[in-house]
């Protein structure tokens, strides 16, 4: 519905962070739900069905990575992780589990609001405004339905994964840098976040490639970025 107020679930065990994020999100026009542990967060998610989750990784009862796993089992809701600077491994695991983005602590509340808006924009928009179905061997990409099938089986992709795949597949042979792919999928390429593309590409390969260790659809161009296969690849 046009003009619908988006609900954001903020999950963090630090009350002052929740209060700060709530103030900025509400000022930006969002409705904020808040929980301080993973178990309560999952219960609120199932009851309230928010539009996006901001998820701290260090949580009591159920940690953030397990919450992310549970969210991905149940839905494709956008997830933005909050991580400490020394948690690179957890951050990469979170992205591989299907989180859409991350923000490191300490963070700028204004930047976090910008990330929320960017993720919601790319989730709501149709891919590049192009509804043409793309068929490559056993892979069928349908932008109008935000759907990918391989050998007639539905491939569960997050909104970010779909946008990356469509951007590449709609331009076979064209090489995209990580920063260009970020710009395609979120509209604003935040410097320093381009390496998240690698985690999303890894996820995509696990889901669409016959052999994820020997990519046949998404080709790495070393030192530059990625491209989608074209007729020269056979």
């Amino acid at each position: 519905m046009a003009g619908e107020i988006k609900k954001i679930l903020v999950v963090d065990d630090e009350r002052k962070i929740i209060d700060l994020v709530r103030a900025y999100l509400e000022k930006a026009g969002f409705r904020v739900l808040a929980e301080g542990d993973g178990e309560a967060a999952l219960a609120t998610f199932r009851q309230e069905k928010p539009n996006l989750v901001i998820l701290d990784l260090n949580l009591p009862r159920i940690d953030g990575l397990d919450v992310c796993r549970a969210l991905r089992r149940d839905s494709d809701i956008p997830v933005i992780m909050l991580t400490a600077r020394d948690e690179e491994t957890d951050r990469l695991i979170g992205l591989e589990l299907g989180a859409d983005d991350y923000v490191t602590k300490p963070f700028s509340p204004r930047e976090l609001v910008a990330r929320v808006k960017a993720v919601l924009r790319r989730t709501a928009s149709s891919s590049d405004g192009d509804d043409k179905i793309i068929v490559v061997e056993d892979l069928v990409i349908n932008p109008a339905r935000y759907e990918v099938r391989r050998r007639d089986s539905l491939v569960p992709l997050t909104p970010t994964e779909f946008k990356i795949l469509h951007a590449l597949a709609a331009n076979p042979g064209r090489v995209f840098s990580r920063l260009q792919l970020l710009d395609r999928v979120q509209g604003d390429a935040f410097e320093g976040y381009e390496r998240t593309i690698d985690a999303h590409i890894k996820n995509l390969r696990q889901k669409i490639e016959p052999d994820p260790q020997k990519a046949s659809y998404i080709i790495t161009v070393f030192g530059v970025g990625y491209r989608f296969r074209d007729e020269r690849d056979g």
Side-chain angles (χ1 to χ4, degrees):
M1 179 185 296
E4 178 186 3
I5 296 176
K6 302 292 186 182
K7 291 188 290 187
I8 311 297
L9 173 58
V10 181
V11 189
D12 199 296
D13 62 347
E14 295 185 52
R15 173 53 58 182
K16 60 184 179 181
I17 288 181
I18 285 181
D19 290 343
L20 180 65
V21 172
R22 181 195 298 274
Y24 276 82
L25 286 173
E26 289 182 345
K27 185 177 180 181
F30 296 104
R31 178 186 168 197
V32 178
L33 310 167
E35 295 295 350
D37 68 75
E39 187 174 311
L42 289 174
T44 296
F45 162 74
R46 294 178 182 120
Q47 180 176 347
E48 296 287 343
K49 302 189 186 314
N51 301 98
L52 181 144
V53 177
I54 297 173
L55 178 65
D56 185 34
L57 291 186
N58 294 321
L59 294 172
R61 303 181 78 177
I62 302 176
D63 71 28
L65 292 177
D66 285 335
V67 172
C68 191
R69 286 188 186 93
L71 292 174
R72 277 294 161 261
R73 282 196 301 268
D74 294 344
S75 75
D76 61 358
I77 185 173
V79 176
I80 297 177
M81 298 181 303
L82 298 181
T83 73
R85 292 191 186 279
D86 60 353
E87 292 176 328
E88 182 177 1
T89 300
D90 282 349
R91 182 165 66 243
L92 291 175
I93 292 172
L95 289 168
E96 290 171 3
L97 287 174
D100 294 87
D101 209 342
Y102 70 90
V103 173
T104 55
K105 294 180 178 180
F107 58 87
S108 159
R110 290 186 179 88
E111 180 185 345
L112 180 58
V113 172
R115 305 303 291 175
V116 168
K117 290 179 178 178
V119 171
L120 287 173
R121 276 200 306 271
R122 73 179 182 244
T123 303
S125 65
S126 62
S127 185
D128 293 333
D130 185 356
D131 288 343
K132 181 180 178 181
I133 294 176
I134 299 170
V135 180
V136 184
E137 294 189 358
D138 61 356
L139 198 66
V140 180
I141 303 167
N142 187 335
R145 297 177 63 90
Y146 240 71
E147 184 178 275
V148 174
R149 290 184 176 273
R150 181 170 176 263
R151 294 178 181 172
D152 293 327
S153 296
L154 187 65
V155 180
L157 299 183
T158 68
T160 298
E161 290 166 359
F162 184 92
K163 294 282 273 186
I164 291 171
L165 178 61
H166 184 263
L168 290 166
N171 300 274
R174 174 180 170 181
V175 179
F176 287 86
S177 70
R178 294 173 178 83
L179 207 57
Q180 286 173 324
L181 284 173
L182 264 182
D183 188 62
R184 281 294 187 103
V185 301
Q186 66 191 35
D188 296 299
F190 283 68
E191 189 174 352
Y193 289 85
E194 62 266 26
R195 284 291 171 181
T196 64
I197 291 294
D198 294 341
H200 293 310
I201 292 292
K202 181 178 179 180
N203 284 350
L204 279 168
R205 284 174 170 162
Q206 292 289 337
K207 294 176 180 180
I208 70 170
E209 297 281 4
D211 180 0
Q213 302 303 316
K214 188 177 180 181
S216 60
Y217 288 119
I218 301 175
I219 312 299
T220 299
V221 182
F222 292 100
V224 183
Y226 300 96
R227 67 175 177 84
F228 200 81
R229 64 175 296 172
D230 61 12
E231 65 275 4
R232 294 172 297 175
D233 297 300

